[in-house]
Amino acid sequence: MISPQLIQYAFYDCHQHLQRIFGDDLPTISFSIASSEDKFPKTRNVAYTRFPNDNSSFEIVFAPKYHLYNDSMVLAVLRHELAHVIDEVYSTQSLGRFVGEDLERLYTERRVDRIAELLWNQQIFYDKVYLIQNVTSGVRPRPLNLPH
């Protein structure tokens, strides 16, 4: 069963992975679990990234309904949100050169999924019921009917 501690550990593990790649260039990224479900009205609303005005300190906020998700979903969502930070801090062109792929052809959410896939060397899928990211099975790339 998913617990706040397990999600925190998964965040720490993913964050450590990024630190090994980007070193001191990685901005400060914190993690929290929201106290209210107000910003997570749909089942598929799992997390969001809070962007600062100056790219200095980001926060990933996870939904308090974490008990609805499995570890594969938690991992994929955290990677996706961390990739939002990377996408925000580094230019798409420089990231594309870094990973060896043209990322400029993709719209934001698909680009972020692809960045996460390349950084962790594991595909991101969307389950067929709630369209929540996971790392085990489903459809990919991100369905077009989801926000871009």
Side-chain angles (χ1 to χ4, degrees):
M1 180 176 210
I2 298 297
S3 68
Q5 295 81 9
L6 186 64
I7 299 170
Q8 180 70 42
Y9 177 78
F11 168 77
Y12 177 77
D13 188 54
C14 290
H15 187 268
Q16 289 290 98
H17 179 77
L18 290 180
Q19 281 187 317
R20 286 189 292 276
I21 295 170
F22 295 99
D24 292 339
D25 291 336
L26 188 68
T28 302
I29 308 169
S30 61
F31 171 82
S32 67
I33 295 178
S35 58
S36 165
E37 291 192 19
D38 292 349
K39 293 190 177 185
F40 308 94
K42 298 177 184 171
T43 302
R44 76 164 314 278
N45 298 142
V46 181
Y48 66 89
T49 300
R50 188 174 294 147
F51 293 86
N53 293 334
D54 60 358
N55 283 351
S56 61
S57 179
F58 295 81
E59 180 182 18
I60 294 175
V61 182
F62 211 90
K65 55 189 173 187
Y66 52 82
H67 60 279
L68 297 175
Y69 311 117
N70 62 41
D71 56 347
S72 174
M73 291 172 172
V74 168
L75 198 57
V77 168
L78 286 172
R79 288 175 179 177
H80 173 90
E81 294 304 323
L82 285 164
H84 268 298
V85 174
I86 299 303
D87 188 49
E88 182 70 16
V89 173
Y90 301 96
S91 75
T92 302
Q93 191 175 32
S94 65
L95 271 174
R97 282 193 306 271
F98 178 73
V99 298
E101 191 170 307
D102 177 17
L103 299 171
E104 292 182 288
R105 62 184 169 75
L106 302 170
Y107 65 83
T108 302
E109 293 299 324
R110 277 195 177 174
R111 182 175 62 247
V112 166
D113 278 351
R114 189 65 186 137
I115 291 167
E117 290 176 344
L118 292 165
L119 290 173
W120 278 275
N121 197 29
Q122 189 172 28
Q123 292 180 328
I124 291 182
F125 300 93
Y126 286 77
D127 79 88
K128 293 178 183 177
V129 178
Y130 298 110
L131 299 174
I132 298 171
Q133 295 104 321
N134 70 82
V135 293
T136 53
S137 65
V139 298
R140 67 176 298 277
R142 181 184 180 94
L144 290 172
N145 61 316
L146 294 178
H148 297 211

